Amino acid sequence: ADMTQLVLLPVVWDNTSICQVAWDWQLESTVVYRGAQYLDHHLASYPVPALSKFQMLAISSLRTALKHSSKLADRERARLPYKHWAEVTDGACTEAEVRSTCSKLERLLGPAQRSQPNAKQRLRYLWYRLYDAGVVKQEHVYAYMLASFMLHLSLLDSGLSAATPTLLAVAVLSLSLDVFGFAPLPAALQEHCLYSQQEVQEVQQKLRAAQEDLPARQLRSLWMHSYSYIGTNPLQQPACSHLQLIV
């Protein structure tokens, strides 16, 4: 593996831990991406003493993201004792270590970092801009669902973890629009994108490659099980079909 992959691999492990816990607890999806952002801020400022401590960092980042969530239920979950959060890691860290890591995160994160849009928020924003411009309609929600799946998948890939939230959001939305026969980069999307078409396409190539890996197959299975009711909803059926394919 090259040096970039070696540096990013622990980050992917951390993101995988965040995704796993968030999925098990059925947390609102933006919490996952905010937790990943907080994790990145911590890694940029503090060394992690050992690989075994990355799970501690992941769970501490998720707890901090819940604490700053706009939803009361998330904030109440964040108030669970530190002992509870340590137990989630199956012995990978102590209660004191979780408390210390959360304190570091609180000192590190200023108002700007806490309110910085994450990839899921950017995707929602861009989708509503397309809706306002008449590019998509309510019945095209399946295109948003497929884009959401690919965005979730980006957390599990080292090459995609380094992309900015806006670039990721544009790339997954453009790819999903193309799959369903829409113009991949309509004017309403281009005006909110400061990246070149080549940069968007490079991320899309990585997304296509990532869908063939084992984590993608596992994530797709979770999505299919979670959205098993889609088969009865004609508006979302196209997304259900495409979740089973490599796009």
Side-chain angles (χ1 to χ4, degrees):
D2 63 30
M3 185 56 66
T4 300
Q5 290 174 318
L6 292 174
V7 170
L8 287 174
L9 186 56
V11 179
V12 176
W13 287 346
D14 271 6
N15 286 345
T16 302
S17 297
I18 291 175
C19 290
Q20 190 172 28
V21 174
W23 194 281
D24 290 344
W25 290 357
Q26 298 183 336
L27 300 180
E28 206 278 329
S29 60
T30 57
V31 171
V32 179
Y33 299 94
R34 191 171 299 283
Q37 278 186 322
Y38 291 175
L39 183 154
D40 288 342
H41 284 303
H42 188 286
L43 289 176
S45 304
Y46 297 104
V48 180
L51 284 176
S52 60
K53 297 304 179 184
F54 275 92
Q55 195 170 0
M56 170 197 69
L57 176 55
I59 205 67
S60 300
S61 299
L62 182 59
R63 180 192 178 278
T64 305
L66 286 166
K67 181 180 177 181
H68 296 293
S69 171
S70 60
K71 293 193 172 184
L72 177 60
D74 288 345
R75 297 196 300 273
E76 288 179 345
R77 190 184 290 272
R79 296 191 187 102
L80 290 171
Y82 288 102
K83 180 181 179 181
H84 167 82
W85 293 93
E87 290 173 348
V88 172
T89 69
D90 293 326
C93 62
T94 65
E95 175 183 352
E97 287 176 319
V98 176
R99 185 190 301 272
S100 174
T101 305
C102 289
S103 296
K104 286 182 179 179
L105 279 166
E106 289 293 348
R107 292 194 299 270
L108 176 64
L109 298 170
Q113 285 80 17
R114 291 185 185 128
S115 60
Q116 183 180 5
N118 56 58
K120 188 56 180 289
Q121 290 172 319
R122 294 303 299 168
L123 176 60
R124 288 179 179 173
Y125 174 82
L126 293 172
W127 178 258
Y128 285 123
R129 299 293 74 76
L130 294 182
Y131 184 85
D132 291 341
V135 176
V136 295
K137 300 179 180 179
Q138 183 177 359
E139 58 264 32
H140 299 140
V141 65
Y142 50 79
Y144 177 81
M145 290 178 61
L146 183 60
S148 295
F149 166 74
M150 289 187 287
L151 191 65
H152 198 167
L153 177 61
S154 72
L155 289 172
L156 309 181
D157 181 87
S158 60
L160 292 166
S161 295
T164 65
T166 298
L167 178 55
L168 273 174
V170 170
V172 298
L173 185 52
S174 173
L175 187 55
S176 183
L177 289 173
D178 191 35
V179 166
F180 291 111
F182 295 92
L185 278 173
L189 184 57
Q190 291 184 39
E191 67 183 39
H192 295 284
C193 177
L194 300 178
Y195 298 93
S196 67
Q197 187 171 355
Q198 179 180 350
E199 289 174 304
V200 173
Q201 290 174 343
E202 287 175 355
V203 173
Q204 290 175 336
Q205 289 175 357
K206 293 178 181 178
L207 283 164
R208 291 188 177 97
Q211 290 181 75
E212 300 178 0
D213 295 337
L214 178 61
R217 295 197 294 270
Q218 294 172 333
L219 180 63
R220 184 177 288 107
S221 178
L222 284 172
W223 271 65
M224 293 299 298
H225 176 73
S226 179
Y227 289 95
S228 58
Y229 65 89
I230 290 177
T232 62
N233 188 331
L235 296 184
Q236 298 174 335
Q237 179 61 41
C240 182
S241 299
H242 279 80
L243 279 176
Q244 302 176 62
L245 305 174
I246 304 295
V247 301

